[in-house]
Amino acid sequence: MDQQQILARITEMVDAEKTLRESLASGAIDEATERARLGVLERELDQCWDLLRRRRAKEEFGGDPDSVRVRPVAQVEGYQS
């Protein structure tokens, strides 16, 4: 996945988050459904942002960004700031 594809996927997921929130507000889905779906989206978003940052860093320092792979959710979610 190249940078443009990653950014496009991030945009899709952000749009999906907005749609979920609107669905909850309109009563089309309940809170449990929204929470479950948002959780999946948030974890995938974290993976995409991580992938994008690492690809950019690899490219900036002369490496091959195509060598960077998506990290498992457990690894990405385990970061501490």
Side-chain angles (χ1 to χ4, degrees), residues 24 38 56 66:
L24 177 65
L38 279 176
R56 287 176 173 171
D66 291 332

Side-chain angles (χ1 to χ4, degrees), residues 20-48:
L20 278 172
R21 293 183 198 287
E22 290 168 359
S23 295
L24 177 65
S26 71
I29 61 172
D30 61 21
E31 286 183 39
T33 301
E34 182 212 28
R35 262 193 317 275
R37 291 181 186 169
L38 279 176
V40 170
L41 281 172
E42 288 168 354
R43 287 185 292 277
E44 191 176 342
L45 267 169
D46 287 346
Q47 285 179 298
C48 284

Side-chain angles (χ1 to χ4, degrees), residues 1-18 41-56 70:
M1 195 179 322
D2 68 20
Q3 183 169 313
Q4 293 301 355
Q5 291 170 316
I6 297 167
L7 288 169
R9 182 66 186 130
I10 288 170
T11 300
E12 289 171 11
M13 288 185 285
V14 169
D15 290 343
E17 280 184 331
K18 290 177 186 173
L41 281 172
E42 288 168 354
R43 287 185 292 277
E44 191 176 342
L45 267 169
D46 287 346
Q47 285 179 298
C48 284
W49 282 116
D50 173 69
L51 178 63
L52 186 61
R53 281 190 297 271
R54 290 184 308 113
R55 283 181 57 89
R56 287 176 173 171
V70 175

